[in-house]
Amino acid sequence: MRRKVFVRALLTLFLTAALLFAVRFVTEKTVPAYPEALGNTLDEEKITGTYLVKTAAERDDTLTIFGSSELKTFEIPTHPANFFAGKRCGFQVNLVGRGSCQSLVHAMAVGASEESLKGKKIVLITAPQSYVEGGIAPDLFLANFSEQQMLTLLSDEDLSGETKQYLSSRVQDLIAQYNAENGTSLQTHTAAGLLSRAYAADDAAAKALLAPYAWLSKWLLDTKDLAVSARLIRAGNYTDGEAKTGPIDWEAEEAAAIETGKAQSTNNDFSMLDSYYQTYVGHRLSQMEGRDADVSYDVSPEYDDLRCLFDICKAKDIEALFVHVPVNGKWSDHTGLTPKRRQTYYENVRDLAAQYDNVTLLDLTAEENTPYFLCDTMHLGWLGWLAVDRAMEAFWNEG
C-alpha cells in the first residue's frame, strides 16, 4: 500500500514537472518579438519582472530610464517618450518606474539584469522627497518588491558579498517593519524571504541548504514572468509617438517649452500644471503654508540605498547618467522647506555621485527657481525635461 502511494506521488510529481517544462518551452518558442513602442509605457511588469527590461536592454539602440513618478508626465511635450519619438537621436527610450520607485527598488532591478545591461548606458532619476528620515516606506517598497529579482541578484557573481548582504538586510528590515505594523507574515517561508535572511546573517550553511529551493522558485517565477510578458506584448496596448526628424535646434526647443509651459500653467504662480494645481493645491494653499518647516533631508537610508545602486552599476560596468532633480523653490519657500536645508540635501547627493567615475551627474539643482522647470511641486516639467533630453542626447553619443 505504501509503495503504491509513493509511486503515485512520484508519478504526479513527474507529470507536474513535465507539464511545467512543456509550458515553459512552448511560451519561449511562441513569445512575440519585443516591440520598441513598449519602451514608452509604464507597465508594472517592467518593475517587478526581469524579462521585459532585459530584452529591451539587449538591443543596441535602447536607453533605459529608471525613474519614479516623474515618468508619468506624458502631457509634457519634452518628456523623453515624446521628445525622442521615432528614435530621433538614434535610440529608443525604455521607461522603468512609477511613484514609490526609489533607489532600493532600482538597485534590485539593475542587480537582477544579469548580462543585459553590462557595459551599457542607463539614466537614473531620484526625487528629493525620497530622502526623508525614514527612507522608503515598507508598504511602498513591498508594492514594488520582486522575489524573482531578489533570487536573481543573489545568484549573480558580478555582485559582491557586501552588496548582497546590504540588500538582503534592507529587505529583511522592511519586511519586518511591514509585518509588525500590519500583523502579517509576508515572505516568511518564500525562497526569497528565507534566502535573503541567510544572506543578511551571512549564514553559509543556510545558503547552501536553500539553494535547490531558490533555484526551483526562480525557475517558476521566471516562467510566470515570461508568460505575463508575452500576454502584455500580444495585448498591444502601446503606440509609437509622432516621429520627429532632422537636427535639433535647442534654442527653438527651449522657446517652445516656455510657451507651452505658460499655456499649461495659467491658474497659479508656481508654474504648475493647471490640472495639478486645481486638484491638489489650490483649495488647500493656505493649509500648506509652513507645513514642511520640520522636514529635513539631511539624514536618510536613501543615501545608502543610492550608494548601493551606484555600487551595482560599477560592478556591472554600467555608465549612468544620474539626474539630480531640484525642488520647486518657490513652492518650498511657501511650505517652509528652507533654502539651507535644500542645499544640504543637494550637496549630500553631489558628494555621493562624485565618488563614482562611472556616474555622470546632471545637476539641475540651480534651477529650483526657474519658471517651467518643474510642472508641479516635485516633477520635471517643460524646461526640466528638456535639460534632461539634451543631456541624454550628449550622453548617448559620447565616446
Side-chain angles (χ1 to χ4, degrees), residues 35 85 98 120 173 194 212 321 335 353 375:
R98 61 180 175 184
K120 299 288 185 74
D173 287 346
L194 292 171
L321 175 65
T335 62
C375 66

Side-chain angles (χ1 to χ4, degrees), residues 362-381:
L362 176 60
D363 190 350
L364 303 176
T365 58
E367 307 292 346
E368 65 170 23
N369 288 304
T370 301
Y372 315 116
F373 206 83
L374 301 182
C375 66
D376 50 38
T377 62
M378 68 191 78
H379 297 129
L380 290 164

Side-chain angles (χ1 to χ4, degrees), residues 261-262 264-274 276-278 281-282 285 328-334 368-377 382:
K262 288 179 181 179
Q264 291 185 302
S265 58
T266 61
N267 64 358
N268 65 91
D269 296 323
F270 298 99
S271 300
M272 296 183 190
L273 281 161
D274 287 339
Y276 183 93
Y277 184 81
Q278 182 176 349
V281 177
L285 187 61
N328 184 321
K330 191 171 183 179
W331 178 249
S332 295
D333 290 340
H334 178 75
E368 65 170 23
N369 288 304
T370 301
Y372 315 116
F373 206 83
L374 301 182
C375 66
D376 50 38
T377 62
W382 306 270

Side-chain angles (χ1 to χ4, degrees), residues 11-31:
L11 182 61
T12 300
L13 181 63
F14 174 78
L15 291 174
T16 301
L19 178 61
L20 288 172
F21 274 95
V23 170
R24 174 71 172 262
F25 177 80
V26 171
T27 304
E28 287 178 337
K29 294 299 182 182
T30 60
V31 62

Side-chain angles (χ1 to χ4, degrees), residues 234-267:
R234 290 192 185 99
N237 295 327
Y238 41 82
T239 56
D240 287 307
E242 183 180 350
K244 300 179 180 181
T245 58
I248 300 173
D249 183 337
W250 292 106
E251 289 187 5
E253 294 287 354
E254 181 176 337
I258 292 172
E259 287 305 308
T260 305
K262 288 179 181 179
Q264 291 185 302
S265 58
T266 61
N267 64 358

Side-chain angles (χ1 to χ4, degrees), residues 4-257:
K4 288 182 178 179
V5 171
F6 176 75
V7 170
R8 190 178 300 129
L10 193 62
L11 182 61
T12 300
L13 181 63
F14 174 78
L15 291 174
T16 301
L19 178 61
L20 288 172
F21 274 95
V23 170
R24 174 71 172 262
F25 177 80
V26 171
T27 304
E28 287 178 337
K29 294 299 182 182
T30 60
V31 62
Y34 180 89
E36 290 182 342
L38 193 58
N40 298 327
T41 70
L42 298 175
D43 292 289
E44 182 179 350
E45 196 65 21
K46 289 191 200 177
I47 302 165
T48 57
T50 65
Y51 177 81
L52 293 175
V53 170
K54 288 195 294 186
T55 303
E58 287 166 355
R59 304 172 69 94
D60 291 333
D61 58 356
T62 293
L63 181 57
T64 308
I65 305 175
F66 293 93
S68 187
S69 51
E70 72 284 328
L71 295 180
K72 69 180 181 181
T73 57
F74 293 107
E75 65 268 59
I76 306 297
T78 50
H79 183 292
N82 301 323
F83 193 83
F84 294 112
K87 293 192 283 191
R88 183 183 196 178
C89 292
F91 60 84
Q92 167 69 46
V93 299
N94 184 31
L95 309 175
V96 182
R98 61 180 175 184
S100 74
C101 283
Q102 297 177 209
S103 296
L104 184 61
V105 175
H106 296 324
M108 295 188 65
V110 178
S113 64
E114 298 183 309
E115 300 294 307
S116 63
L117 285 173
K118 207 166 185 179
K120 299 288 185 74
K121 296 181 178 183
I122 65 173
V123 177
L124 301 173
I125 307 174
T126 64
Q129 66 273 15
S130 298
Y131 296 82
V132 293
E133 185 175 356
I136 189 169
D139 59 332
L140 297 182
F141 172 72
L142 284 171
N144 299 296
F145 176 63
S146 167
E147 294 182 57
Q148 180 192 17
Q149 290 177 0
M150 185 88 248
L151 293 171
T152 301
L153 68 88
L154 288 178
S155 65
D156 193 324
E157 295 182 358
D158 287 334
L159 305 183
S160 69
E162 292 80 3
T163 293
K164 293 176 183 179
Q165 187 172 30
Y166 176 82
L167 287 172
S168 295
S169 296
R170 285 287 282 142
V171 168
Q172 284 296 307
D173 287 346
L174 287 162
I175 289 174
Q177 287 179 48
Y178 183 88
N179 285 337
E181 292 169 3
N182 296 277
T184 53
S185 56
L186 294 180
Q187 300 296 324
T188 304
H189 301 299
T190 66
L194 292 171
L195 193 61
S196 60
R197 188 183 308 164
Y199 270 89
D202 196 21
D203 187 337
K207 293 178 193 177
L209 187 64
L210 288 165
Y213 181 31
W215 181 89
L216 178 60
S217 294
K218 180 181 178 302
W219 188 89
L220 291 171
L221 290 166
D222 285 346
T223 301
K224 177 183 177 183
D225 177 37
L226 180 63
V228 172
S229 298
R231 286 201 301 270
L232 185 65
I233 293 171
R234 290 192 185 99
N237 295 327
Y238 41 82
T239 56
D240 287 307
E242 183 180 350
K244 300 179 180 181
T245 58
I248 300 173
D249 183 337
W250 292 106
E251 289 187 5
E253 294 287 354
E254 181 176 337

Side-chain angles (χ1 to χ4, degrees), residues 307-328:
R307 185 186 301 278
C308 180
L309 174 55
F310 287 163
D311 284 340
I312 290 172
C313 289
K314 184 75 172 177
K316 289 187 169 292
D317 194 29
I318 294 171
E319 292 182 56
L321 175 65
F322 178 66
V323 183
H324 193 7
V325 180
V327 301
N328 184 321

